[in-house]
Amino acid sequence: MPFSAHEDHNLPLQKFESMLKTNDVYFFDSEDFQEIIHHYLNIGKVSLAKKALQISLKQHPASTELKLLKVEILVFENHFDQAENLLEELQFLESTNEEIFIQKANIYSKQDKHSKAIELLSQAISMTNDNSSIYSLLGMEYLFVDDFLSAKNAFIQCLSEDFEDYGALYNAVYCFDYLEDYDGAIEFLNDYLNKNPYCEIAWHQLGMQFGYKGRHKEALSCFDFAVYSDDTFVGAYLERGRSLERLKRYNEAIENYEITLELEDPTSFAYLRIGKCHQRLGNMELAKKFYYKTVYEDPLLDKGWIAITDFYYKQKNYEKALHYINKAINIDSENVLYWKRCAKINAHMSLYIEASHAYKKTLELGNYELQTYLSWTDLMLEHYDYDVAVNYLLQALEFYPDHADLEYRLAGMYYMLKEQSNGDFYLKKALEHNFEEKETMEILFPEVYNQEAVKNIISSFKNPST
């Protein structure tokens, strides 16, 4: 016998699932069906949502809300043509139903037709007084077309109608950040906090803005308020610790990082920052202990391995530094930062072949920094590997044309190879581009620098009239 979904205070969902098991037919009102369908969609059980929808439309064939749910499922399954046809039918019947325009906009968005989606959402706004969710959707569409100014305004409009929409708050601040309008973000967040003074998220974001501007005392005050508003807010403790570090209040920073370890599972970031603070306080054993904890907690965090490597490097314990950077490379052989340090450490240990391999690897991974070329070619010079050095210096000039540091080295290398004309050519170019750096020749190539012909070229640039 059919019965109401609300009979005996039973939930509609329980009644519906009971109906599926027994093959009985129970009656539900349209709102109950909507709740059931939304439930299954939210937990990813699309087949059950479709089953509920099929039954619901038999019981309520004229329900616009249920037909809109059908549209939602069709869009989810990329049946855009069917969805659009159904929406056209609905719009003919209800031309001012904003949900129809929202669903049409969703279809256009999924087809990367964001301008059309924006147009439809703008129309939908005029059809209802409950616009917060529409402004949020509009903001996302503007983000898709990189119109951050319009996106920002849309999210701010969303917050003006629902100041507890924290997703819109985050997105608005993201737009300010992208536009590098930190002053605008500060003004916006202060206005927001006047309406919602105990919002820990807004205090946290305001602190971040002050941090970007280097105003660390003000940032610290904001993170204090964030913690006062929610004393379990891990992100606020972490940023408060960072602000205290920047103010060189390392012991207080450590206290804040340690609070995060108590509130949640330990994070590699907190361990790393504690290690950094101890190192700055001169607590070397404690620093080392927390660096070890960092890489144990997250072996893929490159900053952890770099911290350990740099720790030993600064202590001139190059063997230990090399040991840990090699461990890091074994975990991630595509990390340029690892190979740069590997090259530097091997060079310090006079391991020329290993250092050269590491420098070459950094270039292969796309790191074309000037200092990489200079350090490697200087190492080649020490080992009289002039031919190879010339090839890489010429390659470097493609990235850094007319750079005197490279040209002085090229000149010296060519002179060492007895290629006088090439040496003269690059020496003159180097002197032309930066005469003051001529000491590079004297330091790296003293024998060449003392040659009469070389001195004459340098002198001619010093005294053009002669």
Side-chain angles (χ1 to χ4, degrees):
M1 177 179 174
F3 53 84
S4 167
H6 295 290
E7 188 176 275
D8 298 324
H9 305 287
N10 285 297
L11 295 172
L13 182 63
Q14 293 174 332
K15 292 288 187 181
F16 179 77
E17 293 185 343
S18 174
M19 182 181 75
L20 293 180
K21 291 176 183 177
T22 61
N23 288 324
D24 290 333
V25 178
Y26 304 151
F27 180 81
F28 298 81
D29 62 32
S30 174
E31 289 76 13
D32 286 342
F33 268 124
Q34 290 173 53
E35 288 182 17
I36 292 166
I37 295 165
H38 277 301
H39 168 77
Y40 286 131
L41 289 176
N42 289 337
I43 63 174
K45 293 186 176 181
V46 180
S47 60
L48 283 173
K50 291 168 71 175
K51 180 69 174 175
L53 180 63
Q54 182 184 16
I55 297 170
S56 71
L57 285 172
K58 287 180 180 177
Q59 293 187 10
H60 305 281
S63 170
T64 299
E65 289 75 15
L66 290 172
K67 289 179 180 178
L68 285 169
L69 278 173
K70 182 175 182 179
V71 168
E72 191 174 327
I73 292 173
L74 288 169
V75 172
F76 177 79
E77 295 182 329
N78 295 326
H79 299 315
F80 300 132
D81 290 339
Q82 293 178 52
E84 285 187 87
N85 290 335
L86 182 52
L87 285 170
E88 290 297 331
E89 293 175 16
L90 291 172
Q91 190 173 353
F92 180 77
L93 297 171
E94 299 185 30
S95 60
T96 59
N97 186 327
E98 77 279 2
E99 191 63 32
I100 294 170
F101 287 80
I102 292 169
Q103 288 296 343
K104 278 190 171 184
N106 184 31
I107 293 170
Y108 281 128
S109 181
K110 287 183 176 292
Q111 294 173 326
D112 293 329
K113 298 175 182 177
H114 301 293
S115 296
K116 288 187 176 182
I118 289 168
E119 182 182 334
L120 285 165
L121 290 170
S122 299
Q123 291 180 48
I125 286 171
S126 64
M127 299 176 184
T128 177
N129 294 322
D130 183 16
N131 286 328
S132 61
S133 61
I134 302 176
Y135 277 119
S136 182
L137 292 171
L138 192 56
M140 294 306 298
E141 292 302 317
Y142 281 124
L143 286 180
F144 284 130
V145 295
D146 294 334
D147 186 349
F148 290 91
L149 184 60
S150 296
K152 177 194 73 176
N153 293 333
F155 290 126
I156 290 173
Q157 283 283 356
C158 175
L159 285 164
S160 70
E161 302 206 9
D162 179 7
F163 70 87
E164 292 188 345
D165 187 338
Y166 297 133
L169 177 63
Y170 275 120
N171 285 328
V173 175
Y174 170 76
C175 293
F176 277 110
D177 288 348
Y178 187 89
L179 295 166
E180 297 183 357
D181 183 9
Y182 306 121
D183 289 327
I186 289 170
E187 182 181 353
F188 159 70
L189 286 164
N190 275 320
D191 288 342
Y192 178 83
L193 283 163
N194 286 333
K195 302 170 189 172
N196 192 5
Y198 298 104
C199 177
E200 70 278 7
I201 295 170
W203 282 116
H204 177 267
Q205 291 297 310
L206 184 58
M208 297 294 288
Q209 302 304 313
F210 281 123
Y212 297 146
K213 291 180 67 66
R215 294 161 64 177
H216 302 303
K217 287 184 180 179
E218 289 149 295
L220 180 59
S221 295
C222 293
F223 297 130
D224 286 343
F225 279 115
V227 169
Y228 296 150
S229 301
D230 179 0
D231 61 5
T232 64
F233 189 2
V234 170
Y237 285 110
L238 289 172
E239 291 302 332
R240 190 159 72 167
R242 293 288 282 154
S243 294
L244 288 163
E245 274 192 73
R246 292 177 178 120
L247 294 168
K248 299 183 179 180
R249 293 160 60 178
Y250 301 118
N251 283 313
E252 293 172 78
I254 290 170
E255 289 174 8
N256 278 270
Y257 294 134
E258 287 177 339
I259 290 172
T260 71
L261 302 179
E262 296 170 5
L263 290 173
E264 286 187 355
D265 291 337
T267 65
S268 57
F269 178 82
Y271 283 143
L272 176 63
R273 297 320 313 168
I274 293 172
K276 292 278 188 183
C277 289
H278 278 304
Q279 187 169 352
R280 291 189 176 99
L281 289 167
N283 305 328
M284 296 305 179
E285 287 303 312
L286 282 171
K288 184 168 61 174
K289 169 187 170 183
F290 280 99
Y291 290 150
Y292 287 151
K293 285 188 173 186
T294 301
V295 295
Y296 179 81
E297 185 67 32
D298 184 2
L300 297 179
L301 181 68
D302 57 4
K303 291 180 180 178
W305 292 108
I306 288 168
I308 292 178
T309 301
D310 290 350
F311 175 83
Y312 284 116
Y313 185 85
K314 287 175 183 176
Q315 293 187 330
K316 298 184 179 180
N317 189 341
Y318 301 124
E319 288 187 3
K320 274 284 185 74
L322 184 60
H323 169 75
Y324 283 106
I325 205 62
N326 282 335
K327 285 189 74 168
I329 288 170
N330 285 335
I331 293 170
D332 181 6
S333 62
E334 303 297 302
N335 191 307
V336 169
L337 297 175
Y338 293 164
W339 285 107
K340 285 173 65 177
R341 279 168 172 77
C342 183
K344 183 170 71 171
I345 296 166
N346 277 302
H348 260 290
M349 297 177 70
S350 299
L351 300 172
Y352 174 59
I353 294 174
E354 292 84 351
S356 289
H357 171 70
Y359 279 124
K360 185 178 181 182
K361 190 69 178 178
T362 63
L363 295 177
E364 289 174 355
L365 291 171
N367 180 262
Y368 304 119
E369 291 179 6
L370 176 64
Q371 192 55 52
T372 299
Y373 283 108
L374 295 178
S375 298
W376 189 13
T377 51
D378 287 354
L379 184 65
M380 293 179 196
L381 172 61
E382 291 177 22
H383 291 81
Y384 312 105
D385 209 346
Y386 307 130
D387 286 311
V388 179
V390 163
N391 288 334
Y392 280 103
L393 286 167
L394 289 171
Q395 182 187 107
L397 276 175
E398 295 178 13
F399 295 100
Y400 304 96
D402 303 332
H403 201 290
D405 278 335
L406 298 170
E407 291 165 340
Y408 279 120
R409 284 169 170 79
L410 261 174
M413 298 287 186
Y414 275 125
Y415 283 130
M416 298 301 288
L417 290 166
K418 310 300 182 186
E419 296 186 28
Q420 197 74 23
S421 60
N422 283 331
D424 291 347
F425 174 77
Y426 281 105
L427 178 58
K428 290 173 182 177
K429 283 176 70 71
L431 292 164
E432 180 185 336
H433 294 137
N434 193 334
F435 180 81
E436 301 302 321
E437 291 292 324
K438 65 183 184 302
E439 287 80 7
T440 300
M441 288 290 293
E442 184 177 7
I443 294 168
L444 295 180
F445 306 96
E447 294 179 13
V448 169
Y449 185 79
N450 290 320
Q451 291 177 13
E452 194 67 29
V454 171
K455 285 187 174 182
N456 288 338
I457 292 174
I458 295 173
S459 180
S460 69
F461 274 81
K462 186 176 181 181
N463 305 294
S465 60
T466 60

